[in-house]
Amino acid sequence: MIWFFWTRLESMLFSKIQLGRIDDQDPTMQEIKKLISYDKSGGWAVLSRGAAVVVNGHGTKVTPTLLEYDLWKEYIATKGFDRSFKDHYNMLHGTENPCCRFEFLSMAGTGRIPDSMKCPECLRAMEKYITFCCCHDENPSAAAFY
């Protein structure tokens, strides 16, 4: 079911791109873009209270926030868990930002690859690259004969 989760997120992004409605001010699309960019670079976590996203973060910041619980637990009584978690996460997040990347298959076709995108983390214009990728899915002994 994990593949369905990622496929659905990418489908939502592609739908907005094709309709020409990739709105950098839409909070839901920003959260979707963050998750998609985290997929390629390791762990991630989403902390929410009901439908409200508290933190949608890269694993390199969420894990230390949890490990440093003793540093921020005293604020839970006054601020609540979610606000205390978010404040500490934001303090750590400001120290280093992992890159955000999106990969679009060249076979995706016209209209599915945007001309430009803004970073979901910092809202700056993202650089556009052409990427070659090998996922090592083939049988290594068969690949040696090509």
Side-chain angles (χ1 to χ4, degrees), residues 14-63:
F14 287 145
S15 176
K16 291 284 190 173
I17 290 169
Q18 285 180 314
L19 294 170
R21 292 194 203 150
I22 189 152
D23 182 4
D24 291 317
Q25 303 306 315
D26 180 351
T28 303
M29 281 310 298
Q30 291 305 101
E31 299 301 324
I32 289 170
K33 285 167 51 179
K34 283 181 192 177
L35 274 176
I36 293 171
S37 74
Y38 298 154
D39 174 42
K40 304 295 185 228
S41 57
W44 56 273
V46 175
L47 175 65
S48 68
R49 178 174 288 262
V53 173
V54 176
V55 169
N56 173 4
H58 195 277
T60 59
K61 294 299 175 201
V62 174
T63 301

Side-chain angles (χ1 to χ4, degrees), residues 23-115:
D23 182 4
D24 291 317
Q25 303 306 315
D26 180 351
T28 303
M29 281 310 298
Q30 291 305 101
E31 299 301 324
I32 289 170
K33 285 167 51 179
K34 283 181 192 177
L35 274 176
I36 293 171
S37 74
Y38 298 154
D39 174 42
K40 304 295 185 228
S41 57
W44 56 273
V46 175
L47 175 65
S48 68
R49 178 174 288 262
V53 173
V54 176
V55 169
N56 173 4
H58 195 277
T60 59
K61 294 299 175 201
V62 174
T63 301
T65 302
L66 291 168
L67 293 174
E68 294 177 0
Y69 174 73
D70 288 336
L71 298 175
W72 54 270
K73 70 181 179 184
E74 66 188 78
Y75 302 107
I76 294 173
T78 55
K79 295 181 178 181
F81 179 85
D82 51 342
R83 182 80 242 164
S84 301
F85 182 95
K86 185 173 184 153
D87 287 350
H88 194 76
Y89 171 85
N90 287 339
M91 191 246 339
L92 291 177
H93 193 269
T95 60
E96 177 187 331
N97 292 320
C99 293
C100 288
R101 10 182 105 90
F102 295 92
E103 293 178 5
F104 297 96
L105 293 176
S106 61
M107 298 173 290
T110 309
R112 291 189 67 137
I113 301 174
D115 291 328

Side-chain angles (χ1 to χ4, degrees), residues 121-136:
E121 293 283 347
C122 66
L123 297 178
R124 287 185 285 202
M126 296 180 79
E127 294 179 26
K128 192 172 185 177
Y129 292 94
I130 295 173
T131 304
F132 293 88
C133 182
C134 178
C135 296
H136 314 291

